[in-house]
Every structure is written in structure tokens, then in C-alpha cells.
Amino acid sequence: MWIEDSHPRTYDAVVDAAGGGDYTTLQAADDELDGGAYTVYVKAGTYAAGLTVSTNDALWVFEAGVIIQAACTLSGANVGWLCGPGFDLQAALTVSGTDGYIQCMNDADFDGVAFNGNSGMFDGGGHGTLVNGGTGNGFSGTGADITVKNAAALCTAGGGNNVDAILVQGAR
């Protein structure tokens, strides 16, 4: 079961890079909704700017084919991302809030994921989901109680790069 099935299908905002939603950028939606729990639906398209979510209990639902070209940070508690197939984050994702979770349908791509907050979860939905850290770590976890499953990870070690596909430094 995909986590979205357990959440209501009403959204506080729709983001559409093509202009058919309430907002055209991710950060504009977050900034407007800051201050309380919210749910945002993101339509397929390319988003050049990243996203910083500091609000607790925020849920982001990404349609298949969403491309984000800049780094994202989830620093609020219980911030969730539900990523459709073909989701592609072309920069680093940092989950520094507690209870942050990322759940994907198979075939999503990430350019490095770091869990610095405690009790985080990443479920790639299948080994077609790839976390490629490049010359950085693929997955890194410094928080306690991080779960990573159903994804492939890699990095480019050697040549002076001291990196790991999966680096675990936190407890459990």
C-alpha cells in the first residue's frame, strides 16, 4: 500500500510549473502555507528552484514526471514526500527534521539523500529507484532510527573521493 492511500485526497494547494495551479514554484506554496499542517499536490513539470519545508506535518504529493533541479531540505517534524514514478531530484535532499519520510513508487531518482533527523524513513518502492551520490555519499544517516529500503544506491569513490553508497553514522 502506498502511504497516500491512508491520507485524504484533498489538497491545500496545487503547484504547476506550467501555470495551471495555485502556484508555479514549490517554495511559493510552502511560504504561503507555513504555520500549520498542510498538503500540497505537485503536477508534472520541471521546477528550477528547490524547496525548504520547516513547517511540521506537511505532506507533498508529487505526480509522475516531476523534476526538481535544486537542493531540497525537510527540516520540519513529520514532513512527508510521496513521489510518483519518474520523479527526479537533480540535487541533494536533506531530511533534518524528526519523523521525515520519503515514499516513492518505483523508478524515482535522487542525487544524494541525507537523514540528519531522527526516526526517518526512505522507501524507494523498488530497486528501479536510484540514489546516486556522485562524488558525495548516496544515502547518509547521522540521525538515530533511520530506515532505508527498496532502492539502489551508488557513488563515485576513488580518485580522491572518500564516499560511500550508504553511510550510516547514527544509532540503529
Side-chain angles (χ1 to χ4, degrees):
M1 179 176 91
W2 203 36
I3 288 178
E4 182 182 12
D5 293 338
S6 64
H7 290 279
R9 294 185 189 263
T10 58
Y11 304 103
D12 297 302
V14 174
V15 180
D16 184 358
D22 303 310
Y23 304 93
T24 58
T25 67
L26 304 170
Q27 195 63 56
D30 174 74
D31 291 347
E32 184 69 27
L33 297 170
D34 274 346
Y38 67 79
T39 302
V40 173
Y41 186 82
V42 180
K43 296 185 73 63
T46 300
Y47 299 87
L51 172 66
T52 298
V53 179
S54 57
T55 300
N56 296 340
D57 302 312
L59 176 64
W60 289 76
V61 180
F62 296 95
E63 199 172 72
V66 168
I67 299 168
I68 303 172
Q69 298 176 319
C72 296
T73 301
L74 310 181
S75 59
N78 195 38
V79 174
W81 275 18
L82 305 180
C83 305
F87 176 88
D88 186 3
L89 176 56
Q90 299 175 344
L93 172 62
T94 302
V95 183
S96 56
T98 59
D99 297 315
Y101 60 95
I102 312 301
Q103 184 169 3
C104 306
M105 296 184 82
N106 200 13
D107 295 323
D109 289 312
F110 293 82
D111 286 1
V113 176
F115 276 93
N116 302 329
N118 294 333
S119 303
M121 190 274 295
F122 184 99
D123 184 346
H127 290 100
T129 291
L130 177 64
V131 178
N132 184 348
T135 58
N137 296 313
F139 282 106
S140 65
T142 57
D145 301 315
I146 306 301
T147 301
V148 176
K149 61 183 182 177
N150 300 320
L154 64 95
C155 62
T156 307
N161 299 322
N162 185 15
V163 295
D164 298 294
I166 300 175
L167 175 63
V168 178
Q169 295 176 312
R172 297 171 299 279

